[in-house]
Amino acid sequence: MIRLKQVSKTYKNKVTALTDISLTIDQGEFVYLVGQSGSGKSSLMKLLYGKEYPTQGYVVVGSRVVNQIKANHLHLLRREVGIVFQEFHLLPQKTVYENVAYVLEVTGHSTASIEEKVMDALTTVGLKHKALDFPSQCSGGEQQRVAIARAIVHRPGILIADEPTGNLDPKTGYDMLKLLHKINKTGTTVIMATHDYSFVERMPSRVIELNKGKIKSDRSKNHTLLLYSMKTGDYFVV
Ligand code: ADP
Ligand code: MG
């Protein structure tokens, strides 16, 4: 479970990215975090994986109050959370297999357990056959799938994806969306930030919409209706 209670975030440069955010996300939910660029999506996600701390309020992830976690305990939080970014951040000198295994190696798993987990993750993302290739031999979509495999290889309860389709063409982006929903079906909570509202229409789920750092709307799957405004040329959630 994730809970934010009256959370605000003001950066050192006095920019307030989030104001009075309260929300609860249950285990197993798929949540779209939408809003225009600068609305605070990445800031909210950074609070969930302990990259930033709230200026006010509480952030609870699983059984942990994140704003009380000491820097040397952050790895415990990271065990519960997998993260995917717009950029794939793969290590170019390592193979697909090694890129995914790396996280487990530094946390001291046995070789046999690493192999099983890595092959499981690569199977989930449909890339078992690319295990021995290097990132440069993979397409953009494949590289993002390697990044997703790396994010889920330690079987976290929560997967955070910050604009995971931002560097992909629409078709590949849709494949990625389907993959994230597939991972969600296994019980993993998925929170996906996107400014592309058309995804919501294609695979409806709960939508939390941010506007200038505040929650503008929070709608469950059954209530989500996406409309196209002729006036602004943009989608909006009602
Ligand atoms: P989004 O992901 O929706 O584009 P962000 O969370 O990245 O939004 O940004 C929200 C606001 O916070 C913006 O005004 C941005 O400039 C500001 N901001 C984000 N990160 C930092 C930072 N590390 N330091 C100062 N300001 C930041
Ligand atoms: Mg962002």
Side-chain angles (χ1 to χ4, degrees):
M1 194 202 62
I2 292 168
R3 178 164 288 174
L4 272 67
K5 196 164 176 219
Q6 295 170 337
V7 167
S8 297
K9 173 67 187 175
T10 301
Y11 288 103
K12 283 200 193 87
N13 63 357
K14 306 260 190 305
V15 171
T16 295
L18 298 168
T19 308
D20 197 23
I21 303 280
S22 294
L23 58 86
T24 301
I25 297 172
D26 289 326
Q27 185 59 39
E29 281 199 75
F30 190 109
V31 177
Y32 292 103
L33 187 60
V34 302
Q36 289 180 352
S37 183
S39 58
K41 303 181 295 297
S42 296
S43 296
L44 198 158
M45 291 183 141
K46 283 175 185 166
L47 298 179
L48 300 181
Y49 56 89
K51 180 90 201 305
E52 297 284 351
Y53 292 111
T55 317
Q56 272 177 33
Y58 283 97
V59 177
V60 179
V61 176
S63 53
R64 298 169 206 288
V65 181
V66 176
N67 40 332
Q68 291 172 352
I69 287 190
K70 302 214 166 53
N72 57 352
H73 284 153
L74 263 182
H75 64 282
L76 297 173
L77 173 69
R78 302 276 164 87
R79 267 187 217 165
E80 293 181 30
V81 180
I83 314 162
V84 181
F85 300 100
Q86 179 170 342
E87 306 81 27
F88 318 128
H89 295 304
L90 300 177
L91 301 166
Q93 297 89 344
K94 289 188 183 286
T95 62
V96 164
Y97 181 95
E98 289 164 345
N99 265 282
V100 179
Y102 182 70
V103 198
L104 299 176
E105 279 160 8
V106 295
T107 47
H109 287 68
S110 72
T111 309
S113 120
I114 290 176
E115 187 170 336
E116 190 205 324
K117 287 192 166 78
V118 173
M119 291 322 278
D120 263 10
L122 287 177
T123 304
T124 301
V125 303
L127 280 186
K128 223 165 115 181
H129 61 290
K130 297 288 270 185
L132 299 179
D133 286 359
F134 287 89
S136 59
Q137 295 167 289
C138 297
S139 68
E142 285 170 343
Q143 291 186 44
Q144 187 59 300
R145 283 193 275 155
V146 177
I148 292 174
R150 182 183 52 190
I152 59 169
V153 72
H154 60 298
R155 299 173 187 166
I158 301 164
L159 177 61
I160 291 174
D162 193 353
E163 307 261 3
T165 61
N167 280 342
L168 304 173
D169 63 78
K171 158 86 177 62
T172 315
Y174 183 42
D175 289 343
M176 223 53 64
L177 182 71
K178 286 190 283 192
L179 174 58
L180 293 176
H181 276 272
K182 180 177 137 186
I183 291 166
N184 172 246
K185 292 276 183 310
T186 66
T188 310
T189 307
V190 177
I191 307 171
M192 170 177 163
T194 180
H195 61 260
D196 187 345
Y197 285 59
S198 69
F199 288 133
V200 179
E201 193 175 29
R202 286 177 154 213
M203 300 189 82
S205 195
R206 179 176 172 190
V207 182
I208 298 175
E209 188 177 27
L210 290 180
N211 182 36
K212 296 182 184 148
K214 293 186 181 158
I215 293 184
K216 188 175 165 198
S217 63
D218 182 355
R219 300 293 157 94
S220 70
K221 179 176 179 173
N222 297 334
H223 293 99
T224 303
L225 189 61
L226 199 70
L227 296 178
Y228 181 75
S229 164
M230 300 289 274
K231 201 167 145 206
T232 62
D234 220 343
Y235 287 97
F236 61 102
V237 185
V238 292

